[in-house]
Amino acid sequence: MDVVRVELGASAYDVVISEGLFAGGSWRALLEGLAADGGPPFFVSDEHVWRLYGDLFDGFGSAVVAPGEEHKTLADLSALFDAFASSRLSRGGLVVAFGGGVVGDMAGFAAACWMRGVRFCQIPTTLLAMVDSSVGGKTAVDIPAGKNLVGAFHQPSLVLCDPAFLATLPEREIRSGMAEVVKTGAIASEALFGQVAASAAAAAAASVSASLIAACIRFKAGVVAEDEREGGLRKILNFGHTFGHAIEVKYGFSRYTHGEAVAAGMRLAAALGERLGVTEKGTAARLGEVLDACGLKARESAEGLLPYMRGDKKSSADGVDLVLLKRIGEPAVTPLSFAALEDALDGGLAPA
């Protein structure tokens, strides 16, 4: 068992990483201890995950949502509120997000809104959720204008991470999660990037070690502890995401998974960084090799992405803070006006 503490003062919490945690009953005491003041925990999951694992939580209140980013909407959020009301979820209650990033985002935002905020716990079942979205308190839903534009910072009270859940995850979803693992290595250090590169072949074969998951969580926990609400340092976690979100919106969340879009976005960010002279030459090629080895081979042109980037939640009226790399392990938050960005993208990019 590995326990990572997210140090946020009164909002601090633990991330417990343990292979086989849900094979026994130790999870029950952890959850029921959190929910003691407000009755039993209430689970939010999606149809795929609940079909596989719902029996674990027999007897608890639950709401099962349709899977996929296209269902992370205000209408689906409203249905969750109806479920909370029907179950008489009190101000002292506990919402448990049991699933991937979509479930975590929706359940967390619902918990942030219900009775002006109730506690929630994350039990991530996808690699992407384990290493990224379950930690840090970002919760949101999408609207037609863009991804995650309506949301709140609402930290979980506990995260329970069992890599055994990955055994039933489709290979494509493992690869998708590896995009966030590669991103973490690229912005964290040469050492972690090397660990990611060494694990790439195993990841392509749908096998990811608990130690690599814990290393990514530990890095993110340190960033979040220093900058909870993304006023400065935490922006580095968006490497690849400004382009990636634009790609997702462009295709209506239908062509790529989130991780695949972020992988394509990292390629574009690295290529742009080299064009602007911010990024050390050869960095884009190194990054591309590791993404290829992980099975993340999607490449997208930057053509037509600018209108979607203008709608990104990290943009301002005049421009956007793009996360580029100086080199592996050294990210650089780079403010660019939209005019400068349009000039830089003129003629297209050739992502590695």
Side-chain angles (χ1 to χ4, degrees), residues 33-44:
L34 283 178
D37 296 335
F42 185 92
F43 287 79
V44 179

Side-chain angles (χ1 to χ4, degrees), residues 7 16 19 23 56 64 74 102 109 122 155 171 179 197 200 217 233 250 264 273 278 337:
E7 296 289 358
V16 179
E19 183 88 34
L56 282 171
V64 180
L74 289 169
V102 170
F109 187 35
Q122 291 266 23
Q155 298 294 340
E171 288 184 19
I217 291 171
L233 177 66
K250 177 182 177 180
V278 174
S337 69

